[in-house]
Amino acid sequence: MKKIFSTTLLICTFFTVFSQNINLSGTVKDSIGTGLEMANIIALNAETNMLDSYCVTNHKGFYKLSLKANTTYNIKVSYLGCTPGEYTINTIDKDIEKDMTLFEENSLLSEVSVTYKMPVSVRGDTIVYDTDSFTTGTEKKLKDVLVALPGVEINDEGQIEVEGKQVQKVMVEGKDFFDGDSKIATENIPSNAIAKIEVLRNYNEIGQMKGLTNDNDNIAMNIRLKKGKNKFWFGELTAGVGPDDKFLAHPKLFFYSPKFSLNLITDMNNIGEVAFTRRDYMNFSGGFKNFNRNGGSSFSTGSNSLGISTAQNNKAKDIDTKFAALNFSYSPNESLDLSGFGIYSYTGTKMETQSSTTYKLEENSSQVEDAIKENDQNVNLGLIKLSSVYKPNVNFQFDYDVMLKQSDDDEEESVSSAVNNTTDIIIQNKKQKPTTVNQNANIYYTINDRNIFAFEAQHLYQDEDPFYNAIRSEFAFVDLFPVNQSQSLYNLNQKKNIRTNKLDAKVDYYYITGDKSNIQFTLGTTLSHQNFDSDIYQILDNESELSMDESEFNNDVDFNISDLFLGFHYKLQAGIFTFNPGLSLHQYKAENEQLGSKVSDDLTSVLPDMYINVQLKKSENLRLNYKVTRAFTDVSKFAQAYVLNNYNSVYSGNRNLESSLNHNISLNFFSFNMFNFTNMFANITYTKQIDALKSDVIPMGINQITSTINSNLNDESLSANARYQRTFKNVKFSTRASLSWAKTNNLINSQPSASESFSQNYSGSVSSNFKNAPNLEIGYAYSISNYDRGQTSTSYYTKRPYAKLDAVILKELIFTADYDFYSYTNKENTIDNEYSFLEADLIYQKKDSKWEFGLKGKNLLDTKSLNQSSESDYAYSSSTYYVQPRYLLFTVKYNI
């Protein structure tokens, strides 16, 4: 503890910069004496003409600048819509107070005539960062720039977050950059091409709809390029080699002009740097919106994949990846914009995991499985999207998008499963080649100032074909399946095919009742059809097939669901309050046909929702969301014949399932104070499920037969998270906490079984951002995971101190290092593992040279594995996961 305290004291001393400064403060007012919030003030040193200090006024118009004593400054003040103000001041050795009055400007010419650079400026809902004011020279990618900006973060998935909300769209010079994913932008846009970053809050790309709907959670980001980078090719070519045949090739090219842009990104390496993971693929929206977000209905089309294993922390025992992506935009005239992208990714991954899993059997008993799993997988991912926007005038807009997603996955998994000193060897093979086509068409038409129509339609086509094969010496379900037990090995195979066609369409009519109120009427429908086929067969020793033709082992299910709905919402802004209550009337019909008969369910529901926003200040608000949602599951849960989920799990659906009702209420607080560069975010969410779809398990040791029922036992969850960040000149402090509690009620042998989980995550860090000194970030993260399964419970603890260093040495060398230490234990003290990861880069580049040479080191401490914990409805586990060994790579980069 003393060492930690001493280290913290030393670092705090390192961050402290002593100088003789005085404060210049005052109030910026308009012509009638009202304080102007978010006016920009800068102090230019009269002798050097350099920016010495800047700030933004608070909600009362108050400002405060820290200036050098005995110096002459030119003080410049600007505010959108007002004539800029300016005065000269000579500082002495005591604080100075000075108020300023700005007068309304009839034109915006003054806005474009400003020649100085404001590090941060606010223009309505847009925050503009001048990147040169925050960068130190060690940055290489967009993400390196973003982490230095106040209020901007990169989350664990590589996505950009602003104000605690994920950025939904990234643009470069106003053109979409791989719409629907911000990770590709953060990892590939060169930092030296970026002039400004614009954060667009309350973003709505449909100009006619702005202000009619609740856009508080919509954040977009636009990258402005440096002069000279916006009308010709630029990019970089990177290559690297190292021992043990390690290699890296990463060419990328960019072209931007007012009418046409083209971005080409490629990446090939076997050092574990995966440009586009399977998780990225599954989460990639392509910019497609959540249809009828507040409409009250939720229809699952399912993801009937085979549970292809994913790398943990983007690490594995061996990773080989290839990636190529092309993005374009073209504006043939002022009325038409065309854009699109194509992405291809291949990843070959080898994984090894040792795990200990505790399965709940009865209320007072459990079974432990110790397993060693080795995976060898090949994943090919592809996406293509084309988009068009036709806007001949301000009153009409037509959008059309189409996106194709297809993957080709192949995984072989070897499992050594040990239970009660008995070991079983299982070989699992999984193959799938799913295809998805999404189409979206929207029309927005403004009749006049009070009447606006919006038509939106989406169509989804999905074809999934997962194939599963298991080869093993023992088969736990011989009493359930008519297998031939005289064979040397059980070779079981399963084919599945799931086809989905889903159409969503609605018309919204907005009547503008006043400057701060409107009424919205919605008429729409959802039509979904799914077909589910499956069959199981055994391959015998003589390579012949034993078909299981009985209806218990063959599914042929047609599932149809329709929703005809009428919605009403009223939005009113009264002072600092915005009220947006609404309700929707739904007529549902669900029908599944199988085994020669049909089961239908007709239902009428009235589903309310409520949104309240309290705008405490321009950048401080409190938001309440409440909604009731009726949720319908997908066809796989209705299919009654048995299917094989994995080597120890068999599933049988329930054709009599009904929908569930979900209550969700959330309270969000956000504050971004640019006066003292403090941003705070807090959220608490409560969810309750009524008639929830729950699993009913028949345990057979570690094996289980599972079905699904509607339970009258309600599930509940409560989550809360908060973040605080403040910047003091060149030092930034950040802290974050998140809590998540869940109570679930499942069934074991048709008897209720309650489970609870409670996870806690805390972190804090302090970092510097000096122009002419090394920069250091140190932090500490602590997490607790509690799992309670009645008579069996445990807790896992992870402690993670970390540090990051970047420094410029002799003006031509850049050194960066990233260190993480992990301590992983459990409540019983049967696990006590410590491991750490160190990565470092040394880069040499002469001033104004296009060539760059580097030495890259990964896993320099040669850590063999990492530890994680996880849970499911009936089990919790702790695992050891093996990663790539240490390696070094020599790199060469040429900047185009």
Side-chain angles (χ1 to χ4, degrees):
M1 189 67 186
K2 290 182 179 179
K3 290 183 178 179
I4 295 175
F5 177 78
S6 300
T7 303
T8 304
L9 182 61
L10 177 63
I11 292 168
C12 290
T13 302
F14 169 77
F15 284 143
T16 304
V17 178
F18 297 98
S19 61
Q20 185 180 358
N21 285 356
I22 63 99
N23 290 324
L24 170 65
S25 61
T27 303
V28 179
K29 305 174 183 178
D30 62 15
S31 58
I32 60 174
T34 302
L36 295 176
E37 181 180 1
M38 292 192 175
N40 301 315
I41 302 97
I42 68 168
L44 295 175
N45 188 306
E47 182 178 352
T48 65
N49 202 34
M50 298 293 292
L51 177 67
D52 272 10
S53 185
Y54 70 95
C55 75
V56 176
T57 57
N58 68 7
H59 64 288
K60 294 182 179 180
F62 181 75
Y63 73 92
K64 184 167 70 174
L65 296 172
S66 179
L67 305 177
K68 298 175 183 177
N70 304 309
T71 307
T72 301
Y73 285 98
N74 294 321
I75 308 300
K76 297 177 181 287
V77 185
S78 63
Y79 185 81
L80 185 64
C82 293
T83 302
E86 182 176 350
Y87 66 91
T88 300
I89 192 167
N90 295 308
T91 62
I92 51 179
D93 56 357
K94 64 179 182 178
D95 294 345
I96 303 172
E97 292 187 4
K98 174 74 174 177
D99 293 341
M100 281 287 294
T101 299
L102 300 183
F103 297 91
E104 184 178 355
E105 173 64 44
N106 294 325
S107 71
L108 296 180
L109 292 178
S110 60
E111 179 71 19
V112 300
S113 65
V114 176
T115 57
Y116 57 82
K117 288 184 179 181
M118 182 71 183
V120 183
S121 58
V122 180
R123 303 169 186 170
D125 286 333
T126 301
I127 302 174
V128 182
Y129 297 93
D130 177 71
T131 57
D132 286 343
S133 301
F134 297 94
T135 55
T136 63
T138 63
E139 298 80 10
K140 294 300 177 184
K141 305 175 182 177
L142 171 62
K143 72 175 183 180
D144 301 325
V145 178
L146 293 176
V147 295
L149 305 182
V152 182
E153 289 191 339
I154 305 294
N155 65 20
D156 293 338
E157 301 298 328
Q159 304 292 330
I160 308 171
E161 288 186 357
V162 176
E163 301 181 358
K165 293 167 283 192
Q166 187 166 309
V167 171
Q168 299 174 336
K169 180 189 288 287
V170 175
M171 298 172 285
V172 178
E173 295 291 337
K175 307 295 184 181
D176 288 352
F177 189 87
F178 293 96
D179 193 15
D181 181 88
S182 61
K183 179 182 174 181
I184 295 179
T186 63
E187 294 289 346
N188 290 283
I189 296 178
S191 61
N192 60 7
I194 304 169
K196 295 182 183 295
I197 293 176
E198 300 173 345
V199 173
L200 312 174
R201 301 176 297 172
N202 303 319
Y203 179 73
N204 193 321
E205 55 189 324
I206 312 300
Q208 301 139 276
M209 306 298 293
K210 190 170 180 63
L212 297 180
T213 55
N214 298 317
D215 300 322
N216 295 74
D217 292 328
N218 295 344
I219 303 286
M221 182 173 285
N222 184 42
I223 311 299
R224 293 293 181 186
L225 301 176
K226 290 182 177 179
K227 186 177 181 180
K229 298 288 188 181
N230 55 359
K231 290 185 179 179
F232 62 87
W233 289 97
F234 68 96
E236 55 190 40
L237 306 175
T238 305
V241 293
D244 301 320
D245 297 323
K246 297 297 182 183
F247 71 91
L248 165 68
H250 189 21
K252 47 191 177 184
L253 295 171
F254 305 89
F255 176 81
Y256 282 91
S257 69
K259 286 191 174 184
F260 180 70
S261 69
L262 187 68
N263 309 291
L264 175 63
I265 301 169
T266 62
D267 189 3
M268 295 180 289
N269 71 80
N270 60 357
I271 60 175
E273 295 185 353
V274 182
F276 194 71
T277 67
R278 181 168 180 80
R279 184 180 290 108
D280 297 332
Y281 173 83
M282 298 301 294
N283 295 334
F284 199 96
S285 67
F288 279 75
K289 302 174 184 177
N290 184 5
F291 180 84
N292 203 28
R293 181 176 55 185
N294 295 320
S297 298
S298 173
F299 299 97
S300 172
T301 56
S303 176
N304 294 281
S305 62
L306 292 165
I308 297 293
S309 304
T310 57
Q312 298 182 22
N313 292 3
N314 293 327
K315 293 180 171 65
K317 197 173 182 179
D318 186 71
I319 302 178
D320 182 16
T321 184
K322 298 177 179 64
F323 173 78
L326 179 70
N327 181 86
F328 81 93
S329 65
Y330 175 55
S331 301
N333 54 57
E334 293 183 355
S335 300
L336 181 63
D337 286 314
L338 305 174
S339 61
F341 60 77
I343 297 174
Y344 169 76
S345 175
Y346 162 79
T347 306
T349 310
K350 293 182 179 179
M351 291 174 277
E352 181 179 347
T353 307
Q354 294 183 7
S355 63
S356 178
T357 305
T358 301
Y359 294 88
K360 187 174 181 179
L361 303 182
E362 303 288 349
E363 191 62 34
N364 299 318
S365 63
S366 61
Q367 182 79 66
V368 177
E369 176 197 26
D370 293 314
I372 300 175
K373 298 180 180 180
E374 295 183 355
N375 302 74
D376 187 353
Q377 65 175 224
N378 294 283
V379 174
N380 293 272
L381 308 172
L383 300 94
I384 297 175
K385 182 190 176 186
L386 297 173
S387 300
S388 63
V389 177
Y390 176 63
K391 191 172 183 177
N393 53 63
V394 295
N395 296 322
F396 180 84
Q397 181 169 326
F398 171 69
D399 303 340
Y400 176 75
D401 309 278
V402 59
M403 183 171 70
L404 168 68
K405 296 174 68 174
Q406 187 174 65
S407 69
D408 187 353
D409 310 328
D410 186 346
E411 178 179 77
E412 179 178 327
E413 181 180 54
S414 172
V415 182
S416 174
S417 172
V419 180
N420 293 332
N421 297 319
T422 300
T423 301
D424 187 15
I425 304 298
I426 307 109
I427 303 296
Q428 297 189 116
N429 295 287
K430 305 173 184 179
K431 295 181 181 180
Q432 57 188 11
K433 195 175 182 179
T435 301
T436 300
V437 180
N438 271 295
Q439 296 182 81
N440 177 71
N442 305 315
I443 298 175
Y444 305 95
Y445 178 56
T446 301
I447 299 177
N448 51 44
D449 291 342
R450 290 190 175 272
N451 299 277
I452 299 175
F453 282 92
F455 169 77
E456 298 179 3
Q458 290 186 9
H459 179 260
L460 167 69
Y461 171 77
Q462 195 167 271
D463 190 349
E464 301 168 281
D465 61 345
F467 173 80
Y468 175 74
N469 164 252
I471 302 173
R472 58 190 304 177
S473 57
E474 301 292 336
F475 184 49
F477 305 104
V478 291
D479 295 332
L480 186 64
F481 290 84
V483 295
N484 187 328
Q485 301 183 42
S486 64
Q487 305 300 299
S488 59
L489 293 171
Y490 291 98
N491 188 335
L492 297 172
N493 301 266
Q494 175 179 267
K495 294 179 181 178
K496 288 199 296 185
N497 184 239
I498 307 94
R499 291 177 298 277
T500 300
N501 274 283
K502 180 170 174 280
L503 175 67
D504 300 287
K506 70 183 179 81
V507 175
D508 290 297
Y509 167 64
Y510 297 89
Y511 178 68
I512 315 302
T513 57
D515 292 338
K516 297 183 179 181
S517 62
N518 68 76
I519 298 173
Q520 175 189 356
F521 295 96
T522 303
L523 176 65
T525 186
T526 294
L527 303 171
S528 177
H529 171 76
Q530 289 188 292
N531 176 260
F532 183 98
D533 295 326
S534 71
D535 64 89
I536 300 172
Y537 60 94
Q538 180 184 7
I539 296 180
L540 305 180
D541 288 348
N542 60 8
E543 298 186 0
S544 62
E545 293 184 3
L546 173 61
S547 299
M548 302 180 192
D549 298 324
E550 296 85 347
S551 60
E552 295 95 326
F553 313 105
N554 290 270
N555 280 297
D556 185 4
V557 186
D558 285 314
F559 177 58
N560 295 284
I561 188 167
S562 64
D563 173 23
L564 181 63
F565 58 89
L566 178 66
F568 170 81
H569 287 83
Y570 177 65
K571 184 178 181 180
L572 172 66
Q573 184 178 342
I576 64 171
F577 294 93
T578 299
F579 301 94
N580 193 191
L583 56 84
S584 54
L585 173 65
H586 296 258
Q587 179 61 49
Y588 300 105
K589 182 174 183 180
E591 180 181 84
N592 72 87
E593 181 178 359
Q594 57 183 308
L595 304 174
S597 61
K598 293 182 180 180
V599 175
S600 298
D601 181 21
D602 295 313
L603 179 66
T604 301
S605 285
V606 177
L607 305 173
D609 63 90
M610 168 64 79
Y611 171 84
I612 300 174
N613 180 64
V614 185
Q615 197 69 37
L616 304 172
K617 301 173 187 175
K618 280 191 175 181
S619 288
E620 184 173 290
N621 59 52
L622 186 67
R623 304 191 309 277
L624 175 71
N625 268 296
Y626 171 72
K627 61 181 177 180
V628 181
T629 304
R630 186 160 291 280
F632 293 81
T633 188
D634 68 292
V635 64
S636 65
K637 296 293 191 296
F638 291 89
Q640 290 211 162
Y642 292 110
V643 294
L644 301 171
N645 281 345
N646 56 47
Y647 69 90
N648 66 345
S649 177
V650 171
Y651 180 80
S652 173
N654 179 358
R655 67 182 309 185
N656 296 309
L657 290 176
E658 299 177 351
S659 59
S660 64
L661 199 64
N662 301 330
H663 292 262
N664 181 281
I665 184 168
S666 65
L667 184 65
N668 297 271
F669 171 76
F670 167 74
S671 175
F672 187 25
N673 189 336
M674 295 192 65
F675 172 71
N676 56 15
F677 291 104
T678 299
N679 70 85
M680 294 181 288
F681 170 77
N683 165 270
I684 183 169
T685 301
Y686 173 76
T687 301
K688 183 175 183 178
Q689 291 183 299
I690 300 173
D691 294 326
L693 301 181
K694 306 307 301 179
S695 297
D696 186 359
V697 172
I698 301 174
M700 303 164 59
I702 68 166
N703 305 292
Q704 56 188 31
I705 303 171
T706 308
S707 188
T708 304
I709 66 164
N710 286 100
S711 172
N712 58 4
L713 301 172
N714 300 327
D715 284 359
E716 298 176 278
S717 66
L718 180 67
S719 64
N721 62 82
R723 186 188 66 203
Y724 175 85
Q725 184 184 91
R726 183 164 183 177
T727 302
F728 297 90
K729 291 189 177 179
N730 301 104
V731 181
K732 181 169 67 176
F733 294 88
S734 300
T735 182
R736 172 177 286 190
S738 64
L739 308 173
S740 179
W741 170 84
K743 180 181 180 181
T744 58
N745 295 279
N746 293 287
L747 293 96
I748 296 180
N749 288 323
S750 299
Q751 297 300 311
S753 175
S755 301
E756 289 191 23
S757 65
F758 182 44
S759 63
Q760 307 167 63
N761 296 276
Y762 309 96
S763 65
S765 67
V766 56
S767 61
S768 68
N769 188 32
F770 297 114
K771 286 280 188 181
N772 300 306
N775 287 294
L776 178 66
E777 177 185 3
I778 62 166
Y780 186 82
Y782 181 58
S783 66
I784 308 171
S785 299
N786 301 305
Y787 307 121
D788 187 349
R789 300 292 183 265
Q791 294 300 312
T792 60
S793 63
T794 193
S795 299
Y796 298 100
Y797 310 94
T798 302
K799 304 171 186 177
R800 183 174 71 92
Y802 60 91
K804 298 180 181 179
L805 172 69
D806 62 82
V808 178
I809 305 170
L810 301 177
K811 297 184 179 181
E812 295 179 347
L813 282 173
I814 297 174
F815 177 73
T816 62
D818 192 343
Y819 174 75
D820 295 87
F821 175 83
Y822 294 83
S823 171
Y824 182 76
T825 59
N826 66 346
K827 182 175 66 175
E828 297 80 11
N829 290 320
T830 58
I831 300 175
D832 187 3
N833 293 335
E834 294 183 350
Y835 55 95
S836 55
F837 290 97
L838 174 62
E839 298 182 358
D841 290 272
L842 183 63
I843 298 170
Y844 172 74
Q845 183 178 24
K846 294 189 67 173
K847 186 179 179 180
D848 299 326
S849 173
K850 293 186 176 183
W851 289 95
E852 182 180 298
F853 303 92
L855 188 64
K856 176 190 292 287
K858 303 280 283 188
N859 191 11
L860 291 173
L861 302 178
D862 205 21
T863 300
K864 305 300 182 184
S865 62
L866 57 86
N867 297 95
Q868 288 189 335
S869 63
S870 61
E871 67 157 337
S872 63
D873 289 338
Y874 298 96
Y876 57 83
S877 68
S878 174
S879 63
T880 299
Y881 179 83
Y882 291 88
V883 299
Q884 282 182 309
R886 172 177 52 223
Y887 66 83
L888 295 173
L889 204 70
F890 174 73
T891 62
V892 178
K893 183 167 74 174
Y894 179 75
N895 295 298
I896 300 174

